Amino acid sequence: MIAAAHSEFVLPGVRCAGCIAKIEGGLRDTPGVIEARVNFSAKRVAIDHDATIDVVALKDALAAIGFAAEPIKLASTQPDDREGRELVRAIGVAGFAAMNVMLLSVAIWSGAEGATRQLFHWLSAMIAMPAVAYAGRPFFRSAWGALRHGRTNMDVPISIGVLLATAISLFETIVGGRHAYFDGAVSLLFFLLAGRLLDNAMRNRARDGAAALLRQTAPGGTVLHPDGTSAWLAAEAIEPGMQLQVAMGERLAADGVVELGASSMDMAIITGESWPEPIAEGSRVVAGALNVDAPIIVRVTAAGPDTSISRMARLMEAAGQGRSHYVRLADRAARYYAPAVHLLAALSFAGWMIAGAGWHESLLIAVTVLIITCPCALGLAVPVAQVVAAGALMRRGVLVKDGSALERLAEADCARFDKTGTLTVGRPEPVGEWVLADAEAPLALALARASRHPLSAALVRTLEGKGVQAADVADLLEIPGLGVEATWQGKWVRLGRPEWVGVTGHDRLATAFALEGAPPRLLEFADRLRPDAAAAIRRMERDGFDVAIISGDRGEAVAPVARELGLLALVGMTPEAKLAAVERLEQAGRKVLMVGDGLNDGPALAAGHVSIAPASASDVGQTAADILFLGDSLMPVPIAVSAARRTLRVVRQNFALAIGYNVLAVPLAIAGYVTPLVAAVAMSSSSIIVIANALRLRRCAR
């Protein structure tokens, strides 16, 4: 079934993997919804649905499941961080209360007795209770929202634990008991809020990657109206077909084609190459590019969410929606958390009551179990590591499209590269002696501009770079499969296949030009290797990869590249043959990393264990690949491999930390050796350790 519409919503109430399962399962049961995917890192849900259901109905469906949602404006560049601001205020209140209550507790632990002890308990209550009421709102609101819709989440046991610890402490204070646990309640909130604030910062960092791309576009531009007037329009109001006047030093607000003028354009935002590219009439330009030299007039071809940079931003947003093996493992573990921990606390209470400990002691142990078993560290183990690693790779020009791609890339042991456009830059350049006479160059430029063939485009770049002006030709006609011909001053001129033009006996990449009455000219081209290609291949071999080329090109074209890189090559491969080669390796137990760019690489990219494509790849290549890299250099491929392997090591370490914490702490809590204060510190510390461990990946892309 094909989705007729796509909508996205922000979900501030998503707290755990159990929430994800409830949202995705609930939406799939909604009539008209085809697919729903929750991005836990960005707290968003992407919904494919048919035209019978609109945004309002989807929002109502999410509310019925128990989650407040707001539609996302895809082009928004100013993310609202109200949650972050609320967390900062809450942690300030909790921290202030925790410090003061701790000072009073130290005095009590130092031997205060009688009326002094009671006074300190009452002072602690007066400080702690308003602080718990204010700082605990993020947890209480989430827990209440879940409970009133008949479900639970990880905030339910947290809220129960905090409220019970506060209630027991207030009861002890009123009846003049010896122990109160206000310090444990406010300290738990402080550490929980600290972990949640760090988690929120991580998610903002992930969103910042896409938002930073969108912020590179101009907020608007000067539009030329048909009646000769002009007006500045916001980027959202610009539409395809309009004429944009782009001043020197101005960024483009939309994609388009240059209609008038010539300049140089800084396209680093798309290509990663900061050296300005010359542009002229007919050149394509993209939103976010910087006009360097002179004013130009651009006809808009795509605006708003349809621009190239917006599509890239959406690719990045989609990065967190995939699920790796470890994410699925954490999902399953966290999904059963709430009922399991409630059962464990109830059994602890019942067991200690049967053992004769009394309701007070038994309830206190049950509260401690609730606090200490919070699975924050388990839930954070995978997404935090992936978010930090993806952010580091993005800064090196590598876009991770699939959340499980890093895990699969870390497992890969065999790499197969396409040649043209992958090992080479895919932009042929003239080589050898320049054979066009001065009078022939303007004619060749006029013909080359009429064709979209890659060699024609290369010839246009070369001639325009030499300052050649196109001649006025008539009867211009492109003949499919042969070339372009026209008339000039009563003579025919041709540019195209050498044999068609009159040149035979060549075996290189070439086109030919001829003017009636003059000898034909053979123009030879070559596709140069990507910078650092040899160094990138050597690094992958040192990392244990079996590297080879599978190419659809002729052996004569592939041999120089294979020889220079020292690789074996399979040549003349059809798309089916490339697919079969990858499948044979997979069946032999190899984990294949496929790197390609063209239409003919699509099946092999999809069949590989993991796949990478340059950002200049065809739409099919970009869609099939798990990871994209920007710029001409091939070095991002081995850099992504190294980053993926480091990420997998950190994920495993995080799992070991989270599981080890529970193995040690839970039995101690059930045995009654842990107070609520120690439980709060231990649980929060485990989350902070997991986040700190993941932060080591900030420099993993080297």
Side-chain angles (χ1 to χ4, degrees):
M1 184 178 292
I2 298 174
H6 178 86
S7 301
E8 295 189 19
F9 295 82
V10 63
L11 298 166
V14 174
R15 299 295 181 203
C16 61
C19 299
I20 297 173
K22 288 181 175 68
I23 293 168
E24 293 182 346
L27 284 174
R28 288 192 189 106
D29 294 335
T30 304
V33 173
I34 298 168
E35 183 62 44
R37 300 174 304 281
V38 174
N39 185 333
F40 183 54
S41 298
K43 290 192 174 181
R44 295 182 177 188
V45 59
I47 306 171
D48 294 332
H49 56 94
D50 60 37
T52 61
I53 187 168
D54 58 15
V55 170
V56 175
L58 290 170
K59 185 176 176 180
D60 292 342
L62 285 164
I65 300 171
F67 292 89
E70 289 297 329
I72 294 172
K73 186 178 178 184
L74 289 176
S76 174
T77 61
Q78 299 296 329
D80 186 1
D81 191 23
R82 281 180 294 183
E83 183 182 3
R85 292 193 293 273
E86 182 185 10
L87 288 172
V88 169
R89 289 193 294 269
I91 199 172
V93 171
F96 174 82
M99 284 190 295
N100 286 279
V101 174
M102 277 293 180
L103 287 175
L104 294 169
S105 296
V106 169
I108 294 172
W109 298 338
S110 301
E113 295 290 348
T116 303
R117 189 184 187 94
Q118 276 303 104
L119 174 64
F120 286 173
H121 277 171
W122 276 110
L123 288 174
S124 297
M126 293 170 64
I127 296 171
M129 292 184 66
V132 168
Y134 181 83
R137 289 184 306 164
F139 308 100
F140 303 153
R141 192 164 51 234
S142 170
W144 174 242
L147 290 174
R148 69 193 179 96
H149 287 90
R151 59 181 180 82
T152 60
N153 61 21
M154 68 167 59
D155 287 338
V156 172
I158 290 172
S159 299
I160 293 173
V162 170
L163 291 175
L164 279 178
T166 306
I168 292 172
S169 301
L170 181 62
F171 174 80
E172 288 288 316
T173 302
I174 292 172
V175 300
R178 284 193 56 79
H179 299 291
Y181 305 100
F182 294 115
D183 47 7
V186 291
S187 298
L188 173 64
L189 282 178
F190 175 76
F191 287 115
L192 282 171
L193 288 165
R196 197 152 288 186
L197 185 64
L198 283 172
D199 180 44
N200 184 68
M202 294 292 176
R203 298 178 201 284
N204 285 342
R205 181 173 296 180
R207 286 196 293 267
D208 281 350
L213 272 178
L214 294 176
R215 281 196 293 270
Q216 297 298 314
T217 59
T222 302
V223 174
L224 301 178
H225 296 301
D227 60 3
T229 61
S230 64
W232 190 91
L233 291 183
E236 295 82 1
I238 295 174
E239 296 178 354
M242 290 181 170
Q243 273 191 326
L244 270 181
Q245 184 174 20
V246 186
M248 186 174 68
E250 185 179 4
R251 287 193 183 275
L252 268 73
D255 293 356
V257 176
V258 178
E259 279 201 339
L260 183 63
S263 181
S264 295
M265 197 69 77
D266 182 349
M267 308 278 277
I269 190 171
I270 296 295
T271 64
E273 175 58 62
S274 58
W275 188 258
E277 297 181 11
I279 58 165
E281 293 174 16
S283 298
R284 292 191 174 277
V285 290
V286 297
L290 178 66
N291 182 22
V292 176
D293 287 338
I296 54 174
I297 304 295
V298 172
R299 179 71 66 180
V300 175
T301 57
D306 298 324
T307 59
S308 299
I309 197 168
S310 293
R311 290 197 297 272
M312 288 175 60
R314 287 199 291 277
L315 283 175
M316 295 172 60
E317 289 282 359
Q321 294 178 4
R323 306 282 173 76
S324 68
H325 167 74
Y326 287 97
V327 170
R328 291 192 296 271
L329 188 62
D331 282 359
R332 285 196 295 271
R335 194 171 301 164
Y336 300 110
Y337 155 74
V341 75
H342 292 152
L343 179 64
L344 197 60
L347 289 175
S348 300
F349 177 80
W352 279 96
M353 284 292 290
I354 294 171
W359 72 268
H360 180 272
E361 184 68 18
S362 302
L363 188 59
L364 198 63
I365 291 173
V367 169
T368 303
V369 171
L370 282 175
I371 294 173
I372 212 163
T373 50
C374 177
C376 292
L378 189 63
L380 291 171
V382 181
V384 170
Q386 288 184 341
V387 166
V388 176
L393 285 169
M394 189 201 69
R395 291 191 291 275
R396 292 296 300 266
V398 179
L399 309 181
V400 183
K401 286 175 55 187
D402 188 306
S404 67
L406 290 177
E407 178 187 326
R408 288 183 280 123
L409 183 58
E411 296 168 346
D413 59 2
C414 173
R416 291 295 180 265
F417 284 82
D418 174 48
K419 183 187 77 69
T420 305
T422 304
L423 290 172
T424 65
V425 294
R427 294 194 297 270
E429 296 175 354
V431 295
E433 184 180 355
W434 185 248
V435 296
L436 287 176
D438 292 343
E440 294 172 333
L443 294 170
L445 178 58
L447 297 181
R449 279 184 177 176
S451 171
R452 296 174 63 85
H453 191 278
L455 295 187
S456 295
L459 187 58
V460 168
R461 287 196 300 272
T462 303
L463 292 172
E464 289 179 346
K466 292 176 177 290
V468 174
Q469 298 294 320
D472 291 327
V473 297
D475 304 324
L476 196 60
L477 176 64
E478 182 171 14
I479 303 172
L482 296 177
V484 183
E485 67 177 9
T487 58
W488 176 73
Q489 296 181 355
K491 299 179 180 178
W492 59 260
V493 288
R494 281 182 174 177
L495 176 72
R497 188 182 291 274
E499 295 80 5
W500 179 62
V501 175
V503 179
T504 57
H506 73 93
D507 60 357
R508 292 189 175 183
L509 186 63
T511 185
F513 171 84
L515 171 63
E516 184 179 355
R521 314 291 188 185
L522 182 68
L523 306 171
E524 294 184 336
F525 293 80
D527 190 7
R528 64 182 174 86
L529 280 174
R530 289 181 178 273
D532 305 326
I537 296 298
R538 298 288 88 76
R539 177 168 169 177
M540 294 191 70
E541 289 177 337
R542 287 197 299 273
D543 288 340
F545 275 85
D546 167 27
V547 185
I549 300 172
I550 52 175
S551 173
D553 285 354
R554 296 170 293 115
E556 296 84 354
V558 178
V561 173
R563 195 161 42 243
E564 185 169 349
L565 295 176
L567 296 176
L568 296 175
L570 296 174
V571 301
M573 304 280 281
T574 63
E576 293 79 8
K578 289 186 177 183
L579 173 62
V582 171
E583 288 179 341
R584 279 195 300 274
L585 289 167
E586 292 281 340
Q587 289 166 3
R590 309 302 298 270
K591 305 290 187 184
V592 180
L593 163 61
M594 179 66 203
V595 189
D597 73 315
L599 286 169
N600 61 341
D601 296 319
L605 287 168
H609 188 63
V610 63
S611 54
I612 298 179
S616 58
S618 64
D619 287 345
V620 172
Q622 290 194 29
T623 302
D626 300 304
I627 297 172
L628 301 178
F629 66 91
L630 304 175
D632 285 345
S633 172
L634 197 63
M635 194 53 77
V637 176
I639 286 175
V641 171
S642 300
R645 291 180 175 179
R646 288 192 63 187
T647 302
L648 192 59
R649 284 198 295 271
V650 167
V651 165
R652 288 169 175 162
Q653 291 166 4
N654 281 353
F655 264 96
L657 287 168
I659 294 171
Y661 155 77
N662 281 286
V663 168
L664 291 174
V666 173
L668 291 174
I670 294 174
Y673 291 115
V674 182
T675 66
L677 174 62
V678 174
V681 173
M683 188 282 298
S684 303
S685 298
S686 66
S687 298
I688 293 172
I689 289 171
V690 164
I691 292 173
N693 192 41
L695 283 174
R696 296 190 301 122
L697 292 169
R698 285 178 302 173
R699 296 183 178 84
C700 67
R702 291 181 292 180

